Amino acid sequence: MQKVLVNKMQKKKTIAFIFARGGSKGLPFKNKLILAGHPLIAYSIYISKINSMIDDVYVSTDSEEISNIAFNYGAKVIERPKKLAEDNSPEYLSWKHAIKDVQSSIGLFDNFISLPPTSPLRSLEDTKKCLLAINNQADSIITITPSSRSPWFNMVEKDPDNYVTILNNSKNISRRQDTPESFDITTVAYVSTPKFILNTSSIWDGRVKAIIIPKERAIDIDDKFDFFVANHFISQRKDLIIQKFY
């Protein structure tokens, strides 16, 4: 009886993954840009390292330079095939490749968490909340933040001649206050299980649950403006001061 109780209390094995291509169209070489003294990717590695719920962290990349940065900050590296590192390569396929690579070297593990480099302002608690949320009632966990604009009220689509039509033309909505609450998906964290990912083609093939992240921690760096904003906020975050190399 005692052995059964011990087994039930055993910590699930969780592996963190950081997917960082060498190229980027929106902000060239963004994964290795220096933010407050460290490459952008270092913040995802750092959060993984200080999270007691995470057992190890791997960086999947096609870039030798990013590989070297990952090693210097204490992460292990998965060499991503070029065909999975193109601008139009679905990242879900890279998730599958990384899971299989890790399973072949260390065996099976329980939980998968992806921590994209583009969200350096995530907190340790954000990642813990996501990991605690994965259970038998949810196949995947994503992070969301309140939308700045409502697709129900003030978003339009444009034709080649610059004429626009509103995306949602419901006559029942005439004020922003009447619109349904909407959220943006962030890149703070994605959590799932290897079994689910390997047997599906998208997280939307299963039950997806969300964790709400405040806007100031949900910035997703995609261009120079995002990088400027992140640089401002990160200077105020003492919990994200990386004091040493691992």
Side-chain angles (χ1 to χ4, degrees), residues 74-186:
K76 296 175 181 175
V77 172
I78 297 170
E79 186 176 342
R80 192 191 308 194
K82 292 294 182 183
K83 66 180 180 180
L84 296 180
E86 304 294 339
D87 289 330
N88 59 351
S89 301
E91 188 165 295
Y92 207 70
L93 294 182
S94 294
W95 287 14
K96 291 174 182 281
H97 172 265
I99 288 171
K100 291 176 182 178
D101 187 277
V102 172
Q103 285 181 338
S104 68
S105 60
I106 69 168
L108 300 179
F109 57 97
D110 302 293
N111 288 333
F112 163 104
I113 179 168
S114 170
L115 298 172
T118 51
S119 284
L121 295 169
R122 67 170 68 84
S123 71
L124 174 61
E125 290 306 311
D126 293 333
T127 60
K128 286 188 173 181
K129 283 182 181 179
C130 291
L131 286 169
L132 289 170
I134 193 76
N135 54 39
N136 292 332
Q137 282 73 51
D139 298 304
S140 300
I141 307 298
I142 65 171
T143 51
I144 59 175
T145 197
S147 298
S148 298
R149 296 274 181 175
S150 172
W152 297 90
F153 184 73
N154 51 13
M155 285 190 178
V156 298
E157 59 180 340
K158 180 184 71 67
D159 70 14
D161 296 318
N162 291 331
Y163 289 99
V164 296
T165 54
I166 194 162
L167 284 179
N168 187 294
N169 60 3
S170 173
K171 294 180 173 57
N172 297 323
I173 299 176
S174 58
R175 303 183 309 156
R176 179 179 56 80
Q177 293 86 342
D178 298 329
T179 61
E181 194 173 17
S182 61
F183 297 87
D184 295 329
I185 297 175
T186 82

